[in-house]
Amino acid sequence: MKKLCYSTPMHDTVVQVGEPVLREKAREVPLASIPSKEIQDILARMVAVLEGERDGAALAAPQIGVPLRIFILAERVFGKTGSDTKNAGQKNMVFINPTIIKRSKKKGTLEEGCLSVRGKCGSITRSLNVTVEAYNEKGEKFSRGAGGLLAQAFQHECDHLDGTLFIDKAKEVWKIE
Ligand code: ZN
């Protein structure tokens, strides 16, 4: 997900809409394989790509061409929300096999963009608060509740893992320069 609704120069490493991998239902990561070099390398690649995107808030594995249920959240995002100050010093957060286990009935319409949909922005209705259960990069299970931008990011990234993009759900989509 993009943090703000403005365009960035083309970046080679983020897969763009039109590529089939963005439309696949991503596969679960076998828990025993989380410590493996293969998975750790994928995580490192995701971190590198996300850190190269100045307006990137989060990135899902299909966005680097890997159809696995993983997303990462940039440190700069969760470090900024008031309720998340205890994690402000933490590095990028890793979510493996995430599921949204709770979502608020209360919804809001928010502006959203995506690193895989360059040059477009949209308005989308999402739950204002959600709780995600996932495994971290060490294979430890955790759950994390969030509101605001974080809740929006969780929903956006979980959608990616089911092959859904914000342009499928947006009430309105517009071009940005
Ligand atoms: Zn996205």
Side-chain angles (χ1 to χ4, degrees), residues 1-2 58 60 63 113-117 156-157 160 165-166:
M1 197 184 96
K2 282 171 76 173
Q63 293 182 279
C114 178
L115 295 171
S116 293
V117 187
H156 180 109
E157 299 311 318
H160 267 301
L165 298 172
F166 81 93

Side-chain angles (χ1 to χ4, degrees), residues 75 78-79 84-91:
E75 177 186 20
F78 61 85
D84 297 300
T85 44
K86 67 178 188 293
N87 285 304
Q90 205 174 320
K91 287 300 284 176

Side-chain angles (χ1 to χ4, degrees), residues 130-147:
V130 297
T131 302
V132 172
E133 197 171 80
Y135 294 84
N136 67 15
E137 68 279 12
K138 294 175 192 152
E140 298 159 344
K141 197 174 188 175
F142 68 99
S143 69
R144 178 69 198 252

Side-chain angles (χ1 to χ4, degrees), residues 13 15 21-22 24-27 29 38-39 41-43 45-46 59-71 160-161:
T13 42
V15 172
V21 67
L22 290 177
E24 276 179 45
K25 191 171 166 62
R27 297 190 312 269
V29 178
E38 188 199 353
I39 297 298
D41 282 353
I42 290 167
L43 295 175
R45 277 173 58 203
M46 291 173 71
L59 189 77
Q63 293 182 279
I64 61 159
V66 175
L68 289 176
R69 303 189 81 78
I70 305 173
F71 73 82
H160 267 301
L161 305 181

